[in-house]
Amino acid sequence: MSAVSAKGGCLCGAITFEVGGPLRPVIACHCVQCRKTSGHYVAATSALREDVSITGDVAWYISSDTAKRGFCTTCGSSLFWDGPGENLSIMAGTIDGETDLTIAGHIFCADKGDYYDIPTDVRAALQDDSNLTTMVLE
């Protein structure tokens, strides 16, 4: 793993992580699963799986045929989403300090809650958008 580009962890500190490579811009997901697991929508970045070092005992919940979600069993923090591909998604709010990241787009907007609006100045997709979710790391 190269120099650390980000550090973070759960609320209670039982799980920490370090990223030794670039982070993808943040994607906001409004799907029902993300809304249920977070209580709102999820804002996640990602990094190559091989660039992420995790310390602590992450509990993994298999949430679909293709993905699982990682969380802390002590404090309940939602930390990761792991699906197909080379990247591990990291919940942006779990990163410590400044990130210099921005939201690049919103996905599964058709599932969004009726109590909030999605900004019109950012790219949005009614369902999944492969161009947003598989952006090449810069």
Side-chain angles (χ1 to χ4, degrees):
M1 191 162 81
S2 58
V4 174
S5 63
K7 293 181 179 184
C10 67
L11 179 62
C12 72
I15 299 169
T16 59
F17 62 84
E18 291 185 350
V19 181
L23 293 169
R24 180 202 68 200
V26 174
I27 301 297
C29 182
H30 301 267
C31 79
V32 172
Q33 285 189 9
C34 282
R35 289 179 48 218
K36 295 262 183 194
T37 193
S38 71
H40 194 38
Y41 62 86
V42 162
T45 182
S46 74
L48 291 173
R49 215 175 262 105
E50 64 196 39
D51 289 342
V52 181
S53 172
I54 301 170
T55 303
D57 204 12
V58 176
W60 292 97
Y61 171 70
I62 299 172
S63 56
S64 72
D65 292 341
T66 59
K68 59 186 178 180
R69 297 166 184 273
F71 64 96
C72 175
T73 59
T74 302
C75 66
S77 292
S78 180
L79 299 163
F80 308 108
W81 182 91
D82 194 7
E86 299 176 335
N87 285 12
L88 175 67
S89 290
I90 302 164
M91 302 307 154
T94 65
I95 297 172
D96 298 334
E98 298 292 323
T99 66
D100 294 324
L101 297 173
T102 58
I103 293 181
H106 295 258
I107 58 174
F108 291 98
C109 298
D111 295 339
K112 81 169 205 61
D114 63 354
Y115 57 91
Y116 63 92
D117 293 318
I118 296 172
T120 57
D121 61 341
V122 178
R123 189 169 173 185
L126 290 178
Q127 295 300 319
D128 189 13
D129 182 338
S130 298
N131 294 324
L132 286 175
T133 56
T134 60
M135 279 193 276
V136 176
L137 297 173
E138 300 180 87

